[in-house]
Amino acid sequence: MHPKRKQRLIIALVIVLLSSLTVGLTSYALRGNINLFYSPSEVAAGEAPTDRSIRVGGMVVEGSVTRARDKLETRFIVTDFASSVTVTYDGILPDLFAEGEGVVATGILGANGVVTASEVLAKHDENYMPPEVADALEKAQAQGAPQP
Amino acid sequence: MWRIVHQFGSPPWVYRFCDRVIPWLLPLTVVALLVGSAWGLLFAPTDYKQGDSYRIIYIHVPASVVALAGYYVMASAGLVSLVWRVKLADTAMRAAAPIGAAYTAIALVTGAIWGKPTWGAWWVWDARITSMLILFFLYVGVMALFEAYENKTIAARACAILSLVGTVNIPIIYKSVDWWYSLHQPASIKFTGSSAIDTSMLYPLLGMIVTFYVLFALLMMLNIKQSLTQEYAHSAWLHKRLND
C-alpha cells in the first residue's frame, strides 16, 4: 500500500478507536443513569434515591394485584425474583398490564418502601406468536411438559 | 479482482451500471414491497397478546435494521474517500445519508405509534430509543455538514470523519437492550438458537427486511445517478451517454 494511504488509514482507524474508547468509558461511568429503571433488588439495597421520582421495573407478581372498590387505585408487587417492591397507582393502566408481565412504574419511593406511582408502563417481552400456539403452549405446560 | 474494484471508482462505468440495473430493480422492489406488506399485514396471524397492533413490526423492524446497516455503508464510503481519495466514494457517502435518515425517522415514528397502545407512552428516554435518535442526528449532521462548506473536497473529508466517529453508536444501539435496563424488548430474531417469534410471523418479517435492503440499494443508485448527472453536467462522456 502507498505509504501516504497507509498513514491515512491508520489515522482513520485511530479516530474510530479513540472515539469508541471515549464513548465506552463515558457510558461506563454513567451506567447508572443510562438504565431506565431500578430493579427491586437495587431498591431493597437502598441504591434508589428517596427524594426524587424514580422508575422501578420488574415482573408483576401473580395474584398480587388488588384494586380499590371506590376508586381507580391499584396495588401490586413488582419482583425481579430476588427482591420485590410494592407499588400503588391511581390511574388507568395500559392494556398490556397483567400479572406475570413486565412493568416499569415511575413514582416516589416512600419511607415505608412503597412506590406511589404517577405513571405505569407495560414492558412488552420479545415473544411473538399466534393465539393458537400460545394456547397449545399453555396446555402443554399444564400437562407438565418442559418449556420450549 | 482489482479491475472490478477500480471500475467502481469510474463515474462513466458506475453511471452505466446504475442505468442498466435500475429499470429491472425498480419494478422488482415495488412488487416485493406489495407482496411483503400484504403477507405481513393481511395473511400473518394475529399476536396472542397484542392482537393486530404488532403488525407494525413489518415496517418498524426492517426500517431499523437497514438504518443501522446503512450507516456502515455511509461510513465505509467515508473511509474509502478519506484514505484512497476516490471521488465516487464521496458521492456514495452523500447518497446514503438522506436515505438512512429517512429509514431512521420511519423506525422512530412507527416505534412511537406502537409504543402508545403497548407501553402506554409515545416516547420514553430509554437507551435504545435515545441512541436511535442520536443515529438520526448523525445522518442529518452529515447532510448538514456537507452543505456547510464551500469547498466540496473539504466538506467530504469532514463528513467522512463525522461518519467514522458515528460508527461507535451502531453497536450501542444494537446491544443497548442487553447492556442496560430498557423499556424496549430484546431482539426477537436470534442468529443462534430459536427465535422468540413464531415462524408464521418470522418469514414475512425476513421477507420485508430483505426488501428494505433492496430498496436501500435502489435508492442509493438513484441518488448516485442524480449526483453524477449534476457533477458531470459538462463532461463529454455524459453528453454522449445521454444522446445515445
Side-chain angles (χ1 to χ4, degrees), chain A residues 8 36 101 124 126 128-129, chain B residues 48 50 83 181 188 198:
Chain A
R8 289 200 291 247
L36 185 73
E101 297 289 336
H124 182 63
E126 71 270 35
Y128 288 80
M129 54 184 140
Chain B
Y48 73 119
Q50 302 175 59
V83 176
Y181 295 143
S188 294
D198 194 77

Side-chain angles (χ1 to χ4, degrees), chain B residues 60 73 92 98 106 113-114 152 154 174 190 207 238-240:
Chain B
H60 177 75
V73 172
I106 291 170
I113 294 170
W114 178 83
K152 293 306 166 197
I154 293 175
Y174 183 64
K190 294 180 181 97
L238 187 61
H239 282 269
K240 195 162 167 279

Side-chain angles (χ1 to χ4, degrees), chain B residues 20 39 42 100 137 154 181 197 221 232:
Chain B
R20 281 205 187 138
W39 190 6
L42 302 173
F137 290 151
I154 293 175
Y181 295 143
I197 174 165
M221 278 188 228
Y232 295 91

Side-chain angles (χ1 to χ4, degrees), chain A residues 5 8-9 12 15 19-20 23 34-37 96 101 104 121-131 134, chain B residues 45-50 79 82-85 118-119 121 165 172 180-183 185-186 188 196-198 201:
Chain A
R5 285 178 191 157
R8 289 200 291 247
L9 184 63
I15 290 174
S19 44
S20 314
V23 173
I34 296 172
N35 286 328
L36 185 73
F37 52 83
L96 286 187
E101 297 289 336
V104 175
L121 300 176
K123 181 168 163 42
H124 182 63
D125 62 20
E126 71 270 35
N127 294 311
Y128 288 80
M129 54 184 140
Chain B
T46 52
D47 184 60
Y48 73 119
K49 218 180 278 171
Q50 302 175 59
L79 182 72
L82 209 59
V83 176
W84 285 274
R85 299 280 149 90
T118 314
W119 296 338
V165 171
I172 292 180
W180 300 292
Y181 295 143
S182 64
L183 190 62
Q185 68 268 32
S188 294
I197 174 165
D198 194 77
M201 298 161 157

